[in-house]
Every structure is written in C-alpha cells, then in structure tokens.
Amino acid sequence: MVGAGQLARMTHQAAVDLGMSLRLLAESPTDGAALVTPDVELGAPDDLAALTRFAKGCDVVTFDHEHVPTEHLRALEDSDVAVRPGADALLFAQDKLAQRRRLQELGIPVPVFAPVTSVADVARFGEEHGWPVVVKAVRGGYDGRGVWFYDEPPDSLPGPNVYVEAKVPLLHELAVQVARRPSGGTRAWPAVETVQQDGICVEVVAPAPRISPALSTDAERIALRVASELDVVGVLAVELFEAPGGLLVNELAMRPHNSGHWSIEGSVTSQFEQHLRAVLDWPLGDTSPLAPVTVMVNLLGGRDTDLTRTLPPALEAVPEAHVHLYGKEPRPARKLGHVTVLGDDVVEARERARTAVRVLRGDDE
Amino acid sequence: MVGAGQLARMTHQAAVDLGMSLRLLAESPTDGAALVTPDVELGAPDDLAALTRFAKGCDVVTFDHEHVPTEHLRALEDSDVAVRPGADALLFAQDKLAQRRRLQELGIPVPVFAPVTSVADVARFGEEHGWPVVVKAVRGGYDGRGVWFYDEPPDSLPGPNVYVEAKVPLLHELAVQVARRPSGGTRAWPAVETVQQDGICVEVVAPAPRISPALSTDAERIALRVASELDVVGVLAVELFEAPGGLLVNELAMRPHNSGHWSIEGSVTSQFEQHLRAVLDWPLGDTSPLAPVTVMVNLLGGRDTDLTRTLPPALEAVPEAHVHLYGKEPRPARKLGHVTVLGDDVVEARERARTAVRVLRGDDE
C-alpha cells in the first residue's frame, strides 16, 4: 500500500486477520501506519525510484491516497506491477474535471460545471447558472481544501488549475461504498448519511436514516455503475448530494474512505478487509449491517487535545464506544481518530459517540 | 507482552485501535505476532536478561502464555516493573496443584484431587473415588498435553510432577471470561460452551446455548470470585465442567484465551482490548454480545492444509465468515486460525463456520 496514514493503519489490522503481509511506502517512520507495521519502505509517492523499490515483491500495489502521479502509475504498470485500481481508473479520482466530464458522458448526474481559465469564465458561469458558485481545484483538494465559494465574480482565480460548478442546494449528503474485483464481482454497503463541517466529514450515520429505500437503491446503483464504467478495482466511495431534483455525484475515492469507517464494527465485512480482497481478486465479503444503526464520529484535534490523558475518561464515559486512534500528534482540527457506536436509535447512538469524542478532545475540561 | 503467538498477534490489532504501542518478547522473528508488529525483542521467556531488556521502557508487562518462571516474575517486580497479572496470581495459572488447593480453601468447587508421588498413590485414589482417574502435569500441560486417563492403576507415573483427580462425568464444558483492573473494577462476558476433541478446544458457542440463566450466573459469579480472591489483573478465563452435581472449575488462564476469541466480533469489547485496558488500569468496556449467537470454530491443520490456496474458496463459500489466520506454517492438528460467524440460530451459524473451516483445511479436496 502506497501511503501510511490511518487508512493504511486500519488496512494492516485487516491484513493481519487474513494472514497477509502488508508492505507500506511511508513518507516518514512516524506515519500512523508505519508505527504499527514492520514492513515499511521510506519514500515519497511521487518518487518513481522509491515506488519501484517498494513494489518489488508485492503481489498487488494499492493506495491509501491519490498522490501518485499518473505517469508513475503507468510506468509501474508497464513494468508488470499489478496496480489496483489501475492508472486509467485512478485518473478519475485524481482529476475532478476529467471525472465530471466522464460521468456526464455516461449520463450519471453531476452538478452543472465548466472549465475556467479566467475570472470572466467564472462570472459568465454565475450569470448563466446563478450565484453562489463553487470554484474547485482540479487536483489535490480534500477536507475542505481546494474549494472556494463565491457570491459574486471574484477578483482573481484562487489557483491555476480550477473549474467552476453550481452550488447545489442540498437536503442531505450521502455516500455509498462498493467493492469490485478485477474479474467483475461487486458488493455494495448500504448508503450512509455524512455530516460535514467546514468541508470536513464529522459524522456518518449508517444506514442513511432520512432517505427512502428507493433513493438508497438509486445511490447504490449509481456507485455500482461508476465502478464498472470506470473499471475501478477495490473499494470505491461515491459521495453524493441529495438535491431537490435527485442525486448528484460529488466526489469519488478509489480506496477505503472516511465514510466507510463505520463498517469496521457495523458491517459483517469492513471496507479495509474488502479492499484487500477486491484488489487480490478474492471473493468479496458480506456487507450487511450488524445493528439497526451505526454512528461514526470523527475525532478532530481540539485546542489542547492530549489523548494519553483523555482516553481513560472517554472509555469510562462510554463503555460501548469503539475508539480508533491514528497515532498522530494532536493538532487543532487534525483527524486524530474516530469513535463508532452501534445501537437501535440514531439520536441515542449519535449522542453516545459524540460524548466519547467530546471527552477525547478535552472539550469538557 | 511476553510471547508472540496468536494471542499477542490479536492483542496488537487491539492495541493499534487504542493508539498503544505493543512491544513483544518473541522467541523467533517468525512467531505469528512478530511477523506483524514492529517492536520485537528476541529472547526466551525463561531468560531473565532477555526479560529485563524487554521490560525496559514498558509501562506494563503482560503475557500471552504462562512460561515465565515465578522467580523471574518476582525479580521483575522487585525491580519495579509493573507485572500484570502479578507473580502471586500467575502462580495459580502455572501450578495446577497449587490452584486446586487454593480454590478448595476458598470453597470454590473443583474436582476431587490429591497430590501423588507414586503409583500407589494413584491406586489408592482410584479405589477411594472410583475409576477412571485423571493424572495431570502440575505445570506446563495444555491442548490435551499433560493429561492422562487411567481405568486402573498404571505401571508407572507418566511424569515426575503430577497429581491425580476424579474424572468428572460432565454434561457440558463451559468457560467464563472476566476482566479485572488493579483498582478493582470488573466486567464479565456471558458464559460460553466449549467443545473439546482430544483435549483441544475445537468450537465455542456464545452465549452457552444449553444451560439455564441461573447456571450462567453461577459460572460468572465463580469467575468473578476467583479473579478477586486470587488478585488477578487482566482477562481471566475460567474453564468449567457442568457435572450432575453442579459446576466445577477445571482450568484457569490469566490472559486472553481461545474460549474468548468469539468476542472480537461477537461482543462490544473484545477480550484483547479488554485485557489491555485492564492491565493499564483503564476503564473496562461493555461486554454485551452483538448477536443472539456467535460461533467460533478453530482451524486445526489438516493433512495438506495450504491456506494460500484454500482461503479464497473459503471466503467464497461463506461470505459472512470472519477468518483469522495466525501466520503459522501449517502442520497437522496445529492451531492455524479460527473462524467466527454471528447469527440467530446455533445450528445454522455452527454449520456456516464449520463449512469455512472445512474448506480452509482442504478437507473437501
């Protein structure tokens, strides 16, 4: 696995169960996954020599992020490394404008969008489709970075490689995860509701509690279609807007994703195990939920979060909490971990998970 | 953790969630846990220099087996290492005769037993209490080793350090696990039924399906009493016989135990996480079961078990199976892993878990 953040860390835990040996390409020996895994190669994901060294002896190469340049992915493929998902698929998780165009071609609903090269392009788009508009980085944005909202034409573009789209008046934000094997088998988890604050996912409720079964099926169908049309292998997370006119695809990630952390305890097969099974072209696992409701709340660093001090009282406050810490130095707003609670009632499970997170952050002190 | 077998391997997975860093004392770099953990010290558990080197810098030292000599445990304690459970408690998991005597003193029911130093002692015991009798090694027996059945006086004792006890005509074999903190807090999982073949645990059904709630409560009460009377810290597994006259304690283990593997998926808090929380004197987690029934079936090596070949078809056959492999070279009858299935019905869940194990062993080929 290229990358050694929390996704690789949790993938290692799943790999252990299946008797696999996960090798990591880590940027630093203190990366969350590098701290807990013995087979670590140090190197940057945009360094082809490091990638090649790392890939040697791997049955399959997969990813915990989208930072490997396309030309390096192709170079690995050309030297007969099994890169999964492949470069052609990953492009659509890396390049948002290419993704919007491709999905539009396929008739999969996306927000109205346009390429822009000047402020005038943004102004024209706003006049045609209405204000506010959203300008987005074509590559590299995440967790609220690379997204800018404008109520009127801006003085300048926020970056060199951006595009514009309509700001969708949304009812809910949803996500669906599916897994797909190279030989074609697929499995979908139920659609979940995601709650964002300042562009960062803060909570996930699974299954999505406030949408109809028909809409949930629609979301699943869209995700399965994206997976097969783009030839995605592994886990695909599709983030969707529920807008008044129906569902619109917002983002794609071709790897385990924050919206699927609930599946570790909440589903028979976790997204991490499923991703490994899928990229190895092994049979996929059962994706049924284990409880009527599973709530996952992200732990973002507070002003003085000190987990060595706050973990015991958090465990005391919520004995049924599943706490996952990522081994990172606390910093304000940094994703340090997450808490999952299973239950029968959304409001109650959410309150319990939020309580654990509040104590972990040190907000109550 | 002293020892690097499957218990340490699964403890590492739990430690990762809590942001802990687990150091192992492993006998070999190919021990199951050493394969998946970065912080490994090599050394034998009866080598005090290795133990001392290993313990340096650990907040707490705990165990995946009972092989550390009592005098070494005391030496560590004397040099201010936090050994949990402590030497005084561990003695009763290491020395079965001392354990039988102590439990008898406490009025906790055990099979009738006697120390023996000669064949005549065994003969006398058999005449007094009836044949058959069981002769057991005082130290070191497990998985059917160190246990001998006699229908009549033997020609010689099977070992130098043995005792004798009555062979109990049992209805079921049960196990209860409890966790206890140094400061006294305890939690119990529901009693489970264990199925043994040739002295090796092959299946566990949780909660125990064929006993009354009153008996289950009795079993729990016995385990909690043992934990507090013997000052056990960490997870304590108590194996019990359900005999016509009531419950009798068979074995004690003061660590995560095969009878508790079901708790990884089947309970809110797994025995591995709970053991870590307990030895650190942290608040203990919720031990509620997540499904009406959880069945765990051990994967013992077959004649030609080759898991790299059998794992994919096993996953295909039982998509809801939770497979745990221990990273060991297959050998006939060796514990290579286990499979857990959650369900509503004992017979069905057991059949599904057995199917996965049968395919993994290669029995169907």
Side-chain angles (χ1 to χ4, degrees), chain A residues 151-169:
Chain A
D151 290 321
E152 54 187 54
D155 295 331
S156 61
L157 288 180
N161 191 12
V162 296
Y163 73 103
V164 65
E165 64 184 32
K167 184 168 187 305
V168 174

Side-chain angles (χ1 to χ4, degrees), chain A residues 144-220:
Chain A
R145 278 178 272 188
V147 177
W148 301 269
F149 297 95
Y150 297 104
D151 290 321
E152 54 187 54
D155 295 331
S156 61
L157 288 180
N161 191 12
V162 296
Y163 73 103
V164 65
E165 64 184 32
K167 184 168 187 305
V168 174
L170 53 93
L171 302 170
H172 305 119
E173 292 191 64
L174 307 175
V176 187
Q177 289 197 300
V178 297
R180 182 169 174 273
R181 302 172 58 173
S183 58
T186 57
R187 291 260 187 176
W189 284 270
V192 302
E193 181 170 345
T194 65
V195 181
Q196 324 282 325
Q197 262 167 23
D198 304 324
I200 302 180
C201 170
V202 292
E203 285 182 13
V204 170
V205 183
R210 301 185 289 181
I211 64 170
S212 67
L215 200 73
S216 183
T217 308
D218 264 8
E220 234 173 73

Side-chain angles (χ1 to χ4, degrees), chain A residues 321-365:
Chain A
H322 298 280
V323 174
H324 296 261
L325 302 182
Y326 302 157
K328 295 178 182 173
E329 278 305 309
R331 274 205 308 261
R334 195 179 197 196
K335 275 187 195 168
L336 304 176
H338 73 267
V339 170
T340 301
V341 170
L342 276 63
D344 297 318
D345 177 76
V346 175
V347 175
E348 198 183 313
R350 183 158 47 201
E351 188 44 43
R352 301 294 287 163
R354 283 180 184 171
T355 298
V357 166
R358 208 163 51 229
V359 179
L360 283 166
R361 281 170 57 102
D363 288 353
D364 293 349
E365 294 179 347

Side-chain angles (χ1 to χ4, degrees), chain A residues 8-171:
Chain A
R9 186 175 165 104
M10 293 182 271
T11 302
H12 176 55
Q13 292 173 290
V16 169
D17 282 337
L18 296 179
M20 295 176 191
S21 158
L22 188 73
R23 177 180 299 166
L24 301 178
L25 181 65
E27 296 209 62
S28 152
T30 61
D31 286 353
L35 293 171
V36 300
T37 314
D39 192 359
V40 179
E41 182 80 35
L42 289 178
D46 59 358
D47 173 352
L48 182 58
L51 285 162
T52 305
R53 209 167 53 231
F54 152 79
K56 203 169 173 223
C58 289
D59 295 308
V60 172
V61 170
T62 189
F63 308 90
D64 108 325
H65 57 59
E66 288 84 25
H67 308 333
V68 180
T70 304
E71 63 271 25
H72 291 359
L73 296 171
R74 294 206 198 282
L76 290 173
E77 287 176 341
D78 289 344
S79 59
D80 281 331
V81 174
V83 176
R84 294 184 186 160
D88 290 342
L90 272 172
L91 177 68
F92 299 110
Q94 296 176 314
D95 182 315
K96 269 185 211 140
L97 188 54
Q99 177 223 100
R100 287 286 188 261
R101 285 175 165 145
R102 181 80 181 107
L103 295 182
Q104 192 173 53
E105 270 171 33
L106 293 168
I108 292 171
V110 292
V112 180
F113 71 95
V116 297
T117 55
S118 67
V119 171
D121 290 340
V122 176
R124 206 160 28 242
F125 184 89
E127 271 145 47
E128 186 176 352
H129 299 286
W131 302 92
V133 301
V134 194
V135 174
K136 291 187 173 179
V138 169
R139 282 180 175 258
Y142 70 101
D143 280 357
R145 278 178 272 188
V147 177
W148 301 269
F149 297 95
Y150 297 104
D151 290 321
E152 54 187 54
D155 295 331
S156 61
L157 288 180
N161 191 12
V162 296
Y163 73 103
V164 65
E165 64 184 32
K167 184 168 187 305
V168 174
L170 53 93
L171 302 170

